[in-house]
Amino acid sequence: MSSYWVKTPWWVKRFFSKELVWNMPQNGTPTVYITFDDGPHPVATPFALAELKKHEAKATFFCIGKNVEEYRGIYEDMLEAGHTSGNHTQNHLNGWHTETKKYLGNILQASKNISSSSFRPPYGRIKLSQVRTLHRKKPDWKIYMWDVLSGDFDETLTPEQCAQNVIENIEPGSIVVFHDSAKAWERMRYALPLVLDYCEQQHWKVEALPKN
């Protein structure tokens, strides 16, 4: 039994609907939104970029500031390919275990290297006080959560189960989370091509989240 929801329950989305973005509205061509957390990574990120290019798909990469500093070239490649970036803190902090002032400071430190006003909290863990402080300090920023969690970070999952998690739950408007990280690599590299194939078969566009 996993300790996380693969499909975010409707009541969680409704409770936090004013502060957090869980799904994207649909208007016209059915569209899904694939995202990646924790990069850039020297192996996983270039693989993801190559797979997305094969399918003429765009995605959003929620990057850790220290990783952008280390792999600046990969970050620039991602932007040049037409994908969007997001802030995932400088050091992958857990908001539940971090004092609000320190947490906000870590986000702002990451923003020196990440040109984006989109934010996703690591682990999806952020206090309401942190949400409100960020919105007060940066009113144009958006905090993106997700509708479908692939579970690629879960080392108890097989690559097949990871792909199944997404394919069985994705729908137009879904925001899906993968990870371009060493920990997720084995499952992500198997699941991502299958998910992109599935979206193509459904005639769904795969787009990046809006650049804020």
Side-chain angles (χ1 to χ4, degrees), residues 62-168:
F62 287 93
C63 299
I64 297 173
K66 66 181 181 63
N67 290 346
V68 174
E69 291 174 1
E70 186 171 1
Y71 302 112
R72 168 63 65 175
I74 297 175
Y75 177 77
E76 297 293 344
D77 289 344
M78 175 259 291
L79 295 180
E80 288 175 11
H83 305 290
T84 60
S85 65
N87 188 315
H88 203 48
T89 75
Q90 177 71 12
N91 301 103
H92 204 258
L93 295 187
N94 185 327
W96 291 0
H97 300 154
T98 309
E99 187 269 329
T100 296
K101 184 176 180 181
K102 179 180 178 181
Y103 191 70
L104 184 64
N106 205 258
I107 296 169
L108 296 180
Q109 183 182 356
S111 71
K112 294 176 182 178
N113 289 294
I114 300 169
S115 178
S116 176
S117 54
S118 298
F119 176 69
R120 174 175 285 155
Y123 314 102
R125 294 177 177 175
I126 186 169
K127 301 172 189 172
L128 191 55
S129 62
Q130 293 163 344
V131 170
R132 290 175 177 168
T133 299
L134 182 58
H135 281 158
R136 186 171 67 251
K137 298 283 187 180
K138 299 286 184 179
D140 58 325
W141 280 40
K142 288 190 177 181
I143 303 176
Y144 287 99
M145 302 298 275
W146 57 81
D147 175 53
V148 179
L149 192 60
S150 70
D152 57 356
F153 58 86
D154 184 348
E155 294 175 321
T156 70
L157 282 187
T158 66
E160 292 81 5
Q161 287 171 323
C162 179
Q164 187 177 19
N165 278 348
V166 181
I167 290 171
E168 289 186 351

Side-chain angles (χ1 to χ4, degrees), residues 24-41:
M24 294 300 292
Q26 294 296 283
N27 183 17
T29 304
T31 305
V32 296
Y33 301 83
I34 290 178
T35 66
F36 297 86
D37 289 0
D38 296 357
H41 181 272

